[in-house]
Amino acid sequence: VNILIEGDNYHALSVLNYTHKGKIDVIYIDPPYNTGARDWKYNNDYVDINDQWRHSKWVLMMEHRLQLTKKLLSQRGFMVCAIDNNELFSLGLLMDEIFGEKNRLGVVTVVHKPEGRNQEKFFGTSNEFMLVYAKNINKAAFNRAVLDTELQTRFDEEDDKGKYRLKNFIRLTDGKYSLRENKPHFFYPIYVSSDLKRFSIKKEPKYNEVLPITDKGIERTWKTTKETFVKLAKAGDIVAKKERDRIVLYEKLREDQVIKTHWIKKEYHGYHFGTKLLELILGSKKFDFPKSLYLVLDILKLTSKRDAVVLDFFAGSGTTGHAVLELNKEDGGSRQFILCTNNENNIATEVCHPRITKVIDGYKDAAGKMITGIKSNLKYFRTAFVGAEPSDKNKEALTKQATEMLCMREDTFEPVKETSEVKIFRNSKQHTGIVFD
């Protein structure tokens, strides 16, 4: 079940530490950048550029929330935080302290406005940053993902392990280092069976000897040592083909790429793939500076398994929830999202909730074309307080209002029975019974 919580995210995180402690796989947040433009409040007052304590207030606000956040992550989990230059150094020190410097995976530069801001006096800002941490670097691992769509089109073959492309097993680049005389231990015979299915580095009867010699008779080298070749062949990642009366060996290169620390795809443009997309869904402009949907999609492709639970406690316009739905549609996953946002300027009721609802139910674009929805669900909750005095009245009120919190903890929302003494809920795997006595 996907969840949207309206309320202060500190209170929401406190509740989630009861319902989801150690269960969150990916946390992505886009907090206020503290630009001095009165874009966030501290103790109910807007913080502007003239506030001499604005940096301290921002750090304190983030520290309280990140401390709660760490407890939510699973041992294989990832914490990803967007930021610009205003608090980059403060945030880096803070996250190093909370998550551990050794768990810092990287600081990524994201080009979200390649033309740059033309009103700035010196540099026209064209990028922001993304700090990526693991809960435990020894247990976390990125998914094998291709974020470069042009590169992805090259993987045009597929087997039971996934998509791949073939590359000649002879080292044809690297200049002089690909020649036999410079790396003689990479020059060795490979023996291939007559049906081109089996390989050996030892001479076998009726096997054909193949050497790394080009069509022009140049003696080059294989791409790997004998030992590595044996492992590749055993894994099924070597292919032999007969071409012009000679046998050519290829290596299967899996759908994978080096994930760089500069992200420059045109789809990361905040205006075209964030602001304009949101306007298209809602029918008018109701939110400033939403993230590009495709930026968050790529983050999730890299960090989330198909059954991951994804949290965004600065949900804003709901881009993270939208991205989870799109990625599930793309790869058949069953990821769940939890979004938390306050309702300042009606952001929850008029932006985040309507956006997610329309993505699920479908909507008409500006031209009147119907955009098909993505089959899913959404539960909408609001945080609230009960009296803190430990009286029987307050305890009874807390007990009666804890039902949704217990359902969240057990992920059972479908009602089965409800009386004044007992409530029973279920999902496809279990029932939850709550007794009021």
Side-chain angles (χ1 to χ4, degrees):
V1 174
N2 298 307
I3 294 168
L4 170 59
I5 302 174
E6 177 195 321
D8 186 290
N9 57 12
Y10 182 80
H11 305 146
L13 288 170
S14 300
V15 174
L16 290 172
N17 262 279
Y18 172 73
T19 63
H20 284 77
K21 188 174 183 178
K23 296 179 181 179
I24 305 295
D25 301 295
V26 181
I27 299 175
Y28 173 79
I29 57 171
D30 182 21
Y33 286 178
N34 199 16
T35 62
R38 293 172 63 86
D39 59 347
W40 69 284
K41 288 182 177 181
Y42 185 80
N43 287 349
N44 297 318
D45 291 323
Y46 281 108
V47 178
D48 64 27
I49 199 166
N50 298 313
D51 189 327
Q52 63 177 328
W53 304 110
R54 70 184 180 99
H55 293 291
S56 298
K57 290 176 178 178
W58 189 90
V59 168
L60 194 62
M61 179 273 295
M62 290 296 293
E63 181 184 23
H64 288 161
R65 286 152 180 79
L66 290 174
Q67 290 285 9
L68 290 173
T69 297
K70 184 179 180 182
K71 300 173 186 177
L72 292 172
L73 279 176
S74 69
Q75 284 299 306
R76 297 176 182 272
F78 293 97
M79 173 72 206
V80 184
C81 185
I83 199 68
D84 74 355
N85 59 291
N86 284 285
E87 295 290 358
L88 173 63
F89 305 124
S90 303
L91 179 65
L93 289 171
L94 182 60
M95 292 188 71
D96 274 0
E97 179 183 339
I98 293 173
F99 293 95
E101 184 179 348
K102 67 179 184 300
N103 291 315
R104 189 203 312 145
L105 305 182
V107 179
V108 177
T109 298
V110 180
V111 177
H112 70 300
K113 190 178 178 66
E115 68 274 22
R117 292 199 187 102
N118 58 17
Q119 70 271 31
E120 294 183 333
K121 184 176 180 180
F122 294 105
F123 294 108
T125 302
S126 59
N127 71 292
E128 56 187 28
F129 303 94
M130 190 166 70
L131 276 62
V132 185
Y133 285 74
K135 173 70 174 286
N136 184 336
I137 195 170
N138 298 315
K139 295 186 178 180
F142 283 158
N143 298 326
R144 299 186 73 170
V146 178
L147 306 184
D148 185 329
T149 49
E150 190 278 326
L151 179 62
Q152 196 170 30
T153 61
R154 301 183 203 170
F155 295 89
D156 53 358
E157 301 198 47
E158 190 170 1
D159 60 14
D160 56 355
K161 294 181 183 177
K163 292 185 176 181
Y164 66 89
R165 63 186 175 93
L166 294 176
K167 189 170 183 179
N168 200 311
F169 196 58
I170 297 177
R171 190 180 294 278
L172 298 172
T173 56
D174 295 344
K176 65 180 183 179
Y177 296 106
S178 66
L179 299 176
R180 177 182 181 179
E181 60 262 30
N182 294 312
K183 298 187 85 172
H185 58 297
F186 280 73
F187 185 93
Y188 53 87
I190 294 174
Y191 298 94
V192 183
S193 64
S194 56
D195 62 359
L196 307 180
K197 301 293 185 185
R198 296 179 297 281
F199 308 95
S200 175
I201 56 172
K202 296 178 182 178
K203 192 169 185 178
E204 301 281 355
K206 297 183 180 180
Y207 275 47
N208 299 286
E209 182 184 76
V210 182
L211 291 164
I213 300 174
T214 67
D215 290 343
K216 296 179 180 179
I218 299 173
E219 293 185 338
R220 292 192 175 272
T221 64
W222 298 121
K223 291 176 67 179
T224 70
T225 61
K226 292 180 182 180
E227 294 76 16
T228 302
F229 169 79
V230 170
K231 292 177 183 178
L232 289 171
K234 190 174 182 181
D237 287 334
I238 297 294
V239 173
K241 293 188 176 185
K242 199 146 191 178
E243 299 177 2
R244 298 189 300 275
D245 297 325
R246 63 195 301 267
I247 295 174
V248 181
L249 297 183
Y250 293 92
E251 179 187 5
K252 291 181 180 180
L253 295 182
R254 296 288 167 187
E255 189 176 32
D256 203 356
Q257 72 176 102
V258 174
I259 305 300
K260 304 178 182 70
T261 53
H262 65 286
W263 287 24
I264 57 175
K265 283 168 64 172
K266 68 180 187 298
E267 289 86 359
Y268 299 154
H269 199 295
Y271 178 74
H272 297 300
F273 300 99
T275 302
K276 296 302 291 183
L277 175 62
L278 185 60
E279 283 183 33
L280 185 69
I281 296 171
L282 298 180
S284 62
K285 185 175 180 180
K286 294 185 177 181
F287 185 80
D288 293 324
F289 312 121
K291 278 286 177 288
S292 161
L293 172 66
Y294 302 99
L295 170 62
V296 183
L297 261 173
D298 281 354
I299 293 166
L300 295 178
K301 285 178 182 178
L302 198 60
T303 58
S304 72
K305 306 299 181 190
R306 293 188 179 190
D307 60 349
V309 180
V310 179
L311 169 65
D312 182 348
F313 57 88
F314 284 101
S317 68
T319 305
T320 300
H322 188 171
V324 168
L325 295 173
E326 289 286 351
L327 189 54
N328 281 343
K329 176 184 174 183
E330 183 178 312
D331 67 9
S334 57
R335 297 169 187 83
Q336 296 174 276
F337 64 75
I338 302 173
L339 306 180
C340 308
T341 182
N342 60 25
N343 198 31
E344 192 173 304
N345 300 318
N346 299 319
I347 188 175
T349 53
E350 294 185 7
V351 182
C352 189
H353 182 252
R355 176 187 191 167
I356 299 300
T357 302
K358 287 191 172 190
V359 171
I360 292 173
D361 295 339
Y363 60 94
K364 288 184 179 180
D365 65 14
K369 179 184 176 183
M370 189 66 194
I371 305 299
T372 305
I374 301 172
K375 187 177 180 181
S376 192
N377 55 63
L378 181 65
K379 290 283 184 182
Y380 191 143
F381 298 110
R382 290 187 175 95
T383 59
F385 292 101
V386 294
E389 185 70 27
S391 63
D392 286 348
K393 181 180 179 181
N394 285 342
K395 290 177 183 178
E396 185 176 352
L398 175 61
T399 304
K400 288 181 177 178
Q401 295 184 42
T403 301
E404 289 82 4
M405 187 168 68
L406 293 168
C407 288
M408 276 180 59
R409 182 184 173 104
E410 300 298 323
D411 194 27
T412 49
F413 291 97
E414 184 183 342
V416 176
K417 181 177 181 179
E418 182 172 351
T419 69
S420 59
E421 291 84 22
V422 65
K423 293 182 181 180
I424 301 175
F425 303 87
R426 70 180 178 186
N427 61 24
S428 60
K429 298 178 181 178
Q430 68 183 47
H431 285 69
T432 299
I434 305 171
V435 178
F436 299 87
D437 186 347

